[in-house]
Amino acid sequence: MNLFLSEFNIRAWRLIKHYELEKAADVTLIYGKKGLGKTSILRYLYEHRGQHEGGILADALAFAHQYAYAAQDNKLNSFRQRYRTTRLLLIDDLQVLAGKVKTIEELHYTYEYVIENGGKMVITLEGDTPNLEFLGKRLASRFLSGVAVPIAVPLDNELERFMVEYIQQKHLFMDREIPGMIANLTDNLAEALKIIEQFIEFAVLQENELSLQCFKAYWETRVRKGNNATEPINIIKQVAQSMEIPVDELLGPSRKPRVNEAREMAIYAIRMLCQISYPAIACYFNRNHSTMIISHKKMQEKLTKDHRLEQIYNTIIKVFQV
């Protein structure tokens, strides 16, 4: 995705565009919801600054895998030499390290060596807030001692402008109303692009033009298929329906026993069916990842003792089985 400059990301964009290693904070944290261009901003920094400074760009999962392989093959010295001596270390999607205790410990030592040697770090995090508690207090406090820059959710008119520019760049002949419709259907750039690409594929298969009528047909098909897709929001809706709890109440602050139990069921089902991290699950419930772990364990234990809950769970997972 090319960088798209607008009000929602302008602060992060300006910081990265004018980034100077000598003047920058030890750690720069860029955070925001999924699909808003954090990875693109980090890649821009690497291409325009990092390569010249001998920097390293890696997503957090790659860092974790490389560390694990290095430990297994007795190559930790070369791994540490590479990461600890760089002048600019760029780490993307930090949230995937949740629960990876050894990798977090290694990252902590990496941070200390990089900063001691006069280097800097820029990291990105998926989330509404700069919640780094999964790193432990010491490393979280160090990462938060620098500069934290949020990327907001774009407004509908910003999303629409982004799509119009993209359509023009691709020389697509598309109905003028479609970008506005897509802007009302999503709140991030990555999803908007995905919708456009899928719509084009749908139109090609239908041997149709990129018309408004064709888009409506595509969207109806997508919604029909999406309702049974194994995604967190669909699981939440199914749990709410099965346990007769309104979705808003399930996702809200209510602590009523029935609501708590339904929430625990949803968290457990999402973890089992989607295999996503606890911090990622926490984003759906506006809670921290430790609460997700506790809720998961509670429901896991209840399912071994409560036949009624076991039946409800089995009914829920059948909906999402192919």
Side-chain angles (χ1 to χ4, degrees), residues 90-134:
L90 312 175
I91 302 286
D92 196 20
D93 282 336
L94 197 67
Q95 73 281 348
V96 304
L97 295 185
K100 301 182 186 297
V101 179
K102 290 291 185 181
T103 304
I104 290 172
E105 183 180 359
E106 181 65 26
L107 182 62
H108 194 158
Y109 285 119
T110 300
Y111 157 82
E112 290 182 344
Y113 274 91
V114 169
I115 302 308
E116 273 184 25
N117 292 327
K120 303 293 170 67
M121 289 182 66
V122 181
I123 55 182
T124 69
L125 174 76
E126 185 179 310
D128 293 331
T129 60
N131 184 355
L132 298 177
E133 64 176 37
F134 63 91

Side-chain angles (χ1 to χ4, degrees), residues 138-150:
R138 290 176 60 208
L139 185 56
S141 65
R142 283 161 174 73
F143 279 2
L144 291 172
S145 66
V147 174
V149 184

Side-chain angles (χ1 to χ4, degrees), residues 282-298:
C283 292
Y284 290 91
F285 297 90
N286 196 28
R287 288 165 169 81
N288 59 51
H289 87 283
S290 59
T291 301
M292 300 298 101
I293 296 172
I294 293 169
S295 295
H296 181 276
K297 288 181 178 178
K298 283 183 178 179

Side-chain angles (χ1 to χ4, degrees), residues 35-52:
L36 299 183
K38 298 183 295 297
T39 299
S40 295
I41 288 174
L42 208 61
R43 191 177 296 123
Y44 177 93
L45 177 59
Y46 176 72
E47 291 172 353
H48 290 79
R49 297 285 190 278
Q51 287 181 331
H52 307 297

Side-chain angles (χ1 to χ4, degrees), residues 46-241:
Y46 176 72
E47 291 172 353
H48 290 79
R49 297 285 190 278
Q51 287 181 331
H52 307 297
E53 300 287 352
I56 296 174
L57 169 61
D59 64 73
L61 190 58
F63 180 88
H65 287 164
Q66 290 171 26
Y67 168 65
Y69 293 143
Q72 181 179 327
D73 297 339
N74 295 317
K75 295 180 179 179
L76 279 175
N77 286 339
S78 58
F79 171 85
R80 287 168 175 165
Q81 175 69 19
R82 178 170 184 260
Y83 277 99
R84 295 183 181 187
T85 59
T86 184
R87 297 197 66 211
L88 181 59
L89 179 56
L90 312 175
I91 302 286
D92 196 20
D93 282 336
L94 197 67
Q95 73 281 348
V96 304
L97 295 185
K100 301 182 186 297
V101 179
K102 290 291 185 181
T103 304
I104 290 172
E105 183 180 359
E106 181 65 26
L107 182 62
H108 194 158
Y109 285 119
T110 300
Y111 157 82
E112 290 182 344
Y113 274 91
V114 169
I115 302 308
E116 273 184 25
N117 292 327
K120 303 293 170 67
M121 289 182 66
V122 181
I123 55 182
T124 69
L125 174 76
E126 185 179 310
D128 293 331
T129 60
N131 184 355
L132 298 177
E133 64 176 37
F134 63 91
L135 295 176
K137 289 184 179 180
R138 290 176 60 208
L139 185 56
S141 65
R142 283 161 174 73
F143 279 2
L144 291 172
S145 66
V147 174
V149 184
I151 297 181
V153 173
L155 300 174
D156 284 356
N157 66 315
E158 292 173 318
L159 262 175
E160 184 174 355
R161 183 163 64 86
F162 164 74
M163 284 179 287
V164 168
E165 289 186 15
Y166 178 81
I167 290 166
Q168 290 173 347
Q169 288 173 7
K170 297 294 182 179
H171 304 291
L172 299 172
F173 295 97
M174 187 177 295
D175 192 291
R176 292 181 180 180
E177 292 184 49
I178 292 174
M181 291 183 68
I182 297 175
N184 290 322
L185 295 169
T186 186
D187 64 358
N188 71 73
L189 309 184
E191 180 65 17
L193 285 183
K194 185 178 178 182
I195 291 172
I196 290 176
E197 290 165 2
Q198 289 179 347
F199 169 47
I200 292 170
E201 290 176 7
F202 178 85
V204 169
L205 288 173
Q206 299 294 318
E207 297 183 354
N208 207 331
E209 295 179 349
L210 300 178
S211 64
L212 184 60
Q213 184 178 0
C214 183
F215 180 80
K216 289 179 179 178
Y218 150 74
W219 193 254
E220 287 175 5
T221 303
R222 175 186 165 113
V223 169
R224 189 166 59 251
K225 291 180 179 178
N227 287 337
N228 292 328
T230 309
E231 296 177 356
I233 192 61
N234 290 339
I235 295 170
I236 290 168
K237 289 177 181 177
Q238 187 60 43
V239 170
Q241 180 181 327

